[in-house]
Amino acid sequence: MHAPPSQPCHDLLQSGLDLLDQGISVFDGELRLVAWNRPFLELLDFPADFAVIGRPFADFIRYNAERGEYGPGDCAKQIDERIAAARSFSAHVSERRRPNGSLLLLRGEPLPNGGFVTLYSDITEQRYLEDLSEHQNQQLDERVRRRTAQLENANAQLRRANAENSDIAAALSRSESRLRLINDTMPMLIAYLDQGQIYRYVNKGYAQWFAHPASEIIGRSVAEVVGGDIHRQVNDALHRALAGERVSYEYRMTRGEQHWHAHSTLVPELGADGKVLGVFVFSHDITEQKRMQAALLQAQKMEAIGSLTGGLAHDFNNLLTVIIGNLAALEEQQAANAAISDFVTPALQSARRGVQLIRRLLTYSRQQPLEPAAVDINHLLLDLARLIRRSLPDNINLSTPSDSHDLFALADPALLESALLNFALNARDAMPGGGHLQISAENVELPAEAPETAEFDVPPGHYISIAVADDGCGMSPQVLAHACEPFFTTKRLGLGSGLGLAMAQGFVRQSGGGMRIRSEPERGTQVEIVLPQTSAPSRAGLAHSGSAPHADGALVLLVEDDSAVRRVVRQQLIELGHPVIEAENAEQALAMVEQISDIAIVVSDVLMPGNLNGRQLSERIRHNRPHMRIVLVSGYADDTPRAGDPPVLAKPFSRQDLARALAHSAQTAHEGQPHE
């Protein structure tokens, strides 16, 4: 059961949305504004007073049409066309050039219950950079063509000069010196290779690129100068160029811990008889361009993860509802059968771990809020140590000393475990040759005057400190300064997303704590977090939370389209003492409520096939029978109850969870009764 969101939570969510680089707007099925952020108003130049929940979509279209946003034409026709398109909204991606010259990328997606969400991205600068890159490539090709013509002309002059007197040879020598000066000052890597792939000329930029003096490159082979890895990347292109073909390609080189990329064009030099004399090499650095492409790709992957997570979670939660429901029933019925328990208990534990896995996935994609609770840190570290030891090589020693007293922190248990696991795996990767990994915890007091209070950026008070330390390779001050930036990573492509520390820091700050990292090259790294200290949950509270309220035997109408889920929930209701009748969709349920007056409770899935979903069904029933008790169940993360809604029970759930939801529905129905 989820409580209605409070105003501080709404303000926090709005503040988070306002920090996005992209604009966002959400309209419901009636084409009225539901949610937005500040970039949406700024990107489209809407007045601030337009940001009102419930404002019709038509107001925004009319405002745009009247100020000429859609170009010349009949304003009324422009408005009608766009409103009609919104009512039959379909997923789309489009670009729109605004009158002020900015270029916006619009990505629209329909919502499952009607309405749509639209993301607005300003790609003016991106498009400018793409056009600029294309223009620069064209300029580069033109320079190559002009330079090739100049060099061919110079070679012709040199051949004629060899047949003439020494005065002409001296003049040509001076010309060559001028050309070398030009080549050395150009932002281009230039070299010349003969038929045997031996360097005969390199300019200053080319020599600096490979970190050799020019004099040490001339006369050596390509393989000697560039190394085996790069030579394997370019060897095929060299052979094609030496066969007379003009070739362009890209290659990557590693310099220290950094990767560099270059784009090269090979231009064969042809003799008077048409034979290839050698190859000119023209290259330029494209490392920054590659970095931007990689960052864009990573951002697109994260966006795709967020889009897919909700639907995947719904399907998995339905499956887990069936699995956990049947296993729990079997475990209860066969409690005395040790042979069956040996199979059922681990299966049930694994299924419940699957629930936690889905929740972590939802939290990772920002589709589920934090669920802070009193976490027993000593118990958490013991469980975490067992998990970490499975992924550590034999040459890494793990220790988990902690304060012998009770340590309880207020945090989301699953996210805390995930953050500590991320710290531990980073420490493992920093010790490829082995070492010592230590995870410790203790009570700390941070007074106002303590430097640690400012360093953690937390208010004075009592906290639980958790530190993960290793004696691995450590980080330089430059790397440490960027360690918590999103997408920053020193690992090879594919081995790290650059999000682990950033997400952990965000989770810790949301939990009211702080985080700091201390590291020195070759001395190791310590990541320390502090979380608000809390008291242990009372045994009475735990006992009360685990008990199920007494059932009153009222007739329940169960509305669920998935037959397997329906069968599990029906059995739970029967075990709670309720007679049950079933419906596969909202239309059937409405007819049964009208015909059967004994129905006292409706338990309905939120998302169902047909014209009505669970929320709409509850509204119809409450309109005709305001005292009806209603419980909604859902596998989606965003199906949280709104003001006045029936309680929403998240799948999968236990029989005790269902019983508490039924009891809460009785309170909700009582509170919603009219007072005479």
Side-chain angles (χ1 to χ4, degrees), residues 126-346:
Q126 176 185 337
R127 183 55 50 82
Y128 168 76
L129 293 176
E130 291 172 354
D131 294 340
L132 178 61
S133 176
E134 180 179 358
H135 177 67
Q136 290 176 338
N137 287 336
Q138 292 174 351
Q139 286 185 324
L140 174 61
D141 290 339
E142 180 61 26
R143 289 178 189 156
V144 169
R145 285 192 292 270
R146 289 200 304 267
R147 184 64 190 135
T148 300
Q150 291 175 350
L151 291 174
E152 290 176 348
N153 182 58
N155 284 333
Q157 291 177 2
L158 287 173
R159 285 192 296 270
R160 288 193 301 269
N162 287 333
E164 297 176 0
N165 56 45
S166 59
D167 292 337
I168 298 176
L172 289 175
S173 177
R174 290 193 298 272
S175 176
E176 183 181 356
S177 297
R178 288 194 294 270
L179 289 174
R180 180 178 291 276
L181 178 61
I182 294 172
N183 290 340
D184 285 342
T185 55
M186 288 179 61
M188 180 77 64
L189 316 177
I190 303 175
Y192 179 80
L193 308 171
D194 64 16
Q195 276 281 6
Q197 297 189 21
I198 303 298
Y199 285 101
R200 297 306 176 190
Y201 169 80
V202 295
N203 74 342
K204 183 178 179 181
Y206 195 96
Q208 291 175 341
W209 178 255
F210 288 106
H212 292 295
S215 59
E216 293 183 7
I217 296 179
I218 305 301
R220 297 173 63 188
S221 68
V222 173
E224 289 181 279
V225 174
V226 305
D229 179 55
I230 298 178
H231 188 252
R232 282 189 292 272
Q233 298 179 58
V234 306
N235 191 41
D236 179 66
L238 287 173
H239 282 292
R240 290 164 56 194
L242 291 171
E245 180 183 352
R246 179 171 173 157
V247 184
S248 294
Y249 59 91
E250 296 179 1
Y251 67 88
R252 187 184 78 168
M253 65 182 293
T254 301
R255 189 182 300 159
E257 296 183 355
Q258 300 295 320
H259 299 298
W260 299 81
H261 299 263
H263 180 277
S264 295
T265 299
L266 303 181
V267 181
E269 182 192 18
L270 303 179
D273 56 358
K275 293 183 178 179
V276 178
L277 303 177
V279 175
F280 293 99
V281 183
F282 303 94
S283 303
H284 66 282
D285 184 358
I286 59 170
T287 305
E288 183 63 18
Q289 178 182 339
K290 287 290 186 182
R291 188 194 66 78
M292 293 177 63
Q293 290 174 350
L296 177 60
L297 179 62
Q298 190 70 9
Q300 290 171 337
K301 289 180 180 178
M302 292 299 297
E303 183 179 352
I305 290 174
S307 300
L308 293 173
T309 299
L312 290 174
H314 175 265
D315 292 340
F316 275 109
N317 283 333
N318 270 349
L319 293 173
L320 290 171
T321 297
V322 176
I323 294 171
I324 293 176
N326 284 295
L327 287 175
L330 180 60
E331 181 181 51
E332 184 174 313
Q333 293 174 8
Q334 301 292 330
N337 192 327
I340 292 180
S341 295
D342 289 342
F343 291 98
V344 173
T345 300

Side-chain angles (χ1 to χ4, degrees), residues 399 401 419-420 422-424 426-428 430-431 436-442 444 452 455-456 465-476 480 483-484 501 505 514-530:
S399 63
L420 295 178
N422 176 264
F423 299 158
N426 283 344
R428 178 200 65 186
M431 298 184 289
H436 182 72
L437 171 61
Q438 178 174 293
I439 306 176
S440 58
E442 62 178 344
V444 295
E452 290 84 359
E455 190 175 1
F456 283 114
S465 166
I466 308 174
V468 179
D470 66 73
D471 54 5
C473 61
M475 291 182 280
S476 66
L480 184 60
C484 291
L501 289 177
Q505 185 182 60
M515 173 173 142
R516 70 179 177 186
I517 305 176
R518 293 175 173 173
S519 184
E520 294 183 28
E522 308 306 326
R523 297 289 298 273
T525 301
Q526 183 194 62
V527 182
E528 182 181 5
I529 63 174
V530 292

Side-chain angles (χ1 to χ4, degrees), residues 603-675:
V603 177
S604 174
D605 192 10
V606 172
L607 185 65
M608 294 180 292
N611 297 324
L612 296 175
N613 59 35
R615 294 189 188 277
Q616 294 167 327
L617 171 64
S618 68
E619 292 172 359
R620 294 277 191 93
I621 294 175
R622 284 274 175 86
H623 179 73
N624 296 323
R625 297 178 63 176
H627 307 318
M628 180 71 74
R629 295 162 56 186
I630 301 175
V631 174
L632 299 178
V633 296
S634 175
Y636 276 107
D638 57 355
D639 279 332
T640 53
R642 297 167 297 195
D645 279 354
V648 178
L649 184 59
K651 297 177 183 176
F653 50 82
S654 67
R655 186 175 62 196
Q656 290 79 6
D657 295 331
L658 179 58
R660 282 189 287 271
L662 292 173
H664 182 69
S665 71
Q667 298 175 2
T668 305
H670 175 73
E671 293 169 359
Q673 290 180 8
H675 298 280

